[in-house]
Amino acid sequence: MFDCSWIRAATVGMGALVLAACNEPTSPIESTAEEIARPELATAAANTWLTKADMPGTARGGLSTAAITTSGRTILYAIGGRTTSGGSLGRVQAYNVATNSWTWRASMPMAAYDMNGAGVINGRIYVSGGVTRDKFFRRELYMYNPATNAWTRKRDLPDGTWGGTTEVLKNQLYVLTCLAQEDCYIDFRPLSLFRYDPATDQWTQLASPPPQFGRPMSGTIGGKLYVTGVARDASGILSVYDPATNQWSSRTGPARGVYEGAGVAVDGKLYLFGGRERQPDWNSFRVRTTRVYDPATDSWSTRAPMPDLRSGYAASRVLLNGERRVQVVGGPVPGNNRQYIP
């Protein structure tokens, strides 16, 4: 079997732990004719969805994604997650946006799902927290170097965390997350915001946003962090964090509170894809809605909905032929790799 997600290695104090590539194949995964990039897709109309090559292997949700663009070409990395039976995964797969093909990469040292997203600094990917199959909340922070296909353990978070979101501002990680309380996203409790500085390998706890319900979705616009959640009356919350003042402010949220979808900022606007929509009677259901927030007008609009209902996915901004797009990855097969053109 190719799965080496349960690799274990010794850790020396708080020092970095470098893990070489595992035995998973690193050659491109078998492709069908549909998986070969077609020239006409490069000029598809705005506000449309494209179906791309499925992420191979078993269906997985609760994964994290990160995209690295070099010389105009983007490679998206799908990291961790869980199977439909609840098993934790450490697998890593790389998606070449230009060739519409997947490649196996070295697995994470830890198998986990519902991590705090992922952030990219200087061409390296940082992933923190998560949940293992035994419901253990993780503190670890790992850095992946695509150039060497190796993982390095960095300084742990102060506590076990899960289900959060990660953004990058001025080459520092901002991780908004739930501490090790399984009901954190059920009750109205404040989330915790941490900043990680790779230069010093240190964490700093920052001001928490107002209490909210639901796993956050986020994006960075104008050097600030935009985060969505659900209010007590089931309406949407939009909180904005300013790192210059370490303070939060409120903006107009979506008409209905939405959570457990995917968020990403593109061209100065915040996009929210799908998720669960909370109703005034406090029931919720999955939706395909694409919501867009424009900070210039402090208003929301809707765009073309996702092709189908799904959960457990993640989104990252990618580049194809100089055009910004969004890759939404995760969930059951077929259709676990969609591309949206803003």
Side-chain angles (χ1 to χ4, degrees):
M1 293 291 290
F2 58 81
D3 187 9
C4 57
S5 59
W6 298 98
I7 290 175
R8 295 293 183 266
T11 305
V12 181
M14 296 303 298
L17 170 63
V18 178
L19 296 157
C22 67
N23 293 324
E24 289 185 356
T26 55
S27 59
I29 297 165
E30 291 292 333
S31 301
T32 66
E34 291 182 337
E35 296 173 357
I36 299 174
R38 299 193 297 270
E40 65 268 28
L41 296 186
T43 57
N47 191 33
T48 57
W49 287 89
L50 304 176
T51 297
K52 294 296 198 170
D54 280 336
M55 179 172 49
T58 59
R60 68 173 176 174
L63 73 165
S64 296
T65 60
I68 297 179
T69 301
T70 306
S71 301
R73 290 179 174 268
T74 298
I75 304 296
L76 177 135
Y77 295 84
I79 305 167
R82 64 177 169 183
T83 65
T84 54
S85 62
S88 305
L89 297 171
R91 63 178 52 167
V92 177
Q93 292 163 304
Y95 174 70
N96 188 318
V97 177
T99 63
N100 192 29
S101 59
W102 291 90
T103 304
W104 292 109
R105 303 296 284 170
S107 287
M108 276 201 313
M110 172 185 70
Y113 60 88
D114 287 349
M115 296 172 288
N116 299 316
V120 178
I121 299 176
N122 295 326
R124 290 166 172 78
I125 300 171
Y126 293 80
V127 183
S128 68
V131 187
T132 53
R133 188 167 187 168
D134 57 2
K135 297 294 184 181
F136 185 75
F137 302 98
R138 310 301 304 194
R139 300 162 48 114
E140 290 89 336
L141 170 68
Y142 286 104
M143 182 192 76
Y144 175 70
N145 185 348
T148 60
N149 193 28
W151 289 88
T152 303
R153 184 170 177 176
K154 295 296 186 176
R155 186 171 295 272
D156 288 354
L157 278 154
D159 201 349
T161 64
W162 71 289
T165 182
T166 295
E167 300 292 345
V168 175
L169 292 168
K170 294 184 177 180
N171 287 331
Q172 294 184 325
L173 290 183
Y174 286 78
V175 178
L176 183 66
T177 184
C178 177
L179 297 181
Q181 305 165 14
E182 192 166 2
D183 61 350
C184 189
Y185 294 115
I186 298 176
D187 198 2
F188 283 86
R189 300 186 182 186
L191 303 176
S192 297
L193 179 63
F194 297 93
R195 180 179 62 218
Y196 173 77
D197 187 348
T200 61
D201 193 32
Q202 297 290 331
W203 289 95
T204 302
Q205 187 162 4
L206 304 171
S208 294
Q212 66 177 52
F213 173 89
R215 299 179 191 174
M217 292 180 280
S218 70
T220 56
I221 303 172
K224 297 179 181 180
L225 176 62
Y226 287 70
V227 180
T228 63
V230 184
R232 290 186 181 276
D233 64 357
S235 64
I237 292 175
L238 178 62
S239 300
V240 181
Y241 176 77
D242 186 347
T245 61
N246 190 30
Q247 292 182 344
W248 291 86
S249 59
S250 297
R251 296 288 186 92
T252 301
R256 287 279 180 266
V258 61
Y259 59 104
E260 293 186 3
V264 66
V266 184
D267 295 332
K269 296 179 181 179
L270 178 65
Y271 286 74
L272 305 181
F273 300 102
R276 299 191 69 88
E277 187 177 276
R278 186 63 67 175
Q279 304 303 305
D281 61 5
W282 211 237
N283 288 319
S284 68
F285 52 83
R286 289 185 296 166
V287 295
R288 300 189 296 128
T289 312
T290 299
R291 297 171 172 84
V292 183
Y293 174 76
D294 186 347
T297 59
D298 189 31
S299 62
W300 291 85
S301 59
T302 58
R303 300 287 176 88
M306 298 179 66
D308 54 5
L309 286 173
R310 55 185 51 243
S311 59
Y313 48 87
S316 289
R317 187 173 58 245
V318 301
L319 197 68
L320 179 62
N321 295 338
E323 183 180 69
R324 292 186 185 275
R325 301 186 179 191
V326 180
Q327 210 74 30
V328 181
V329 177
V333 178
N336 68 3
N337 183 18
R338 309 282 193 180
Q339 190 178 87
Y340 176 73
I341 304 176

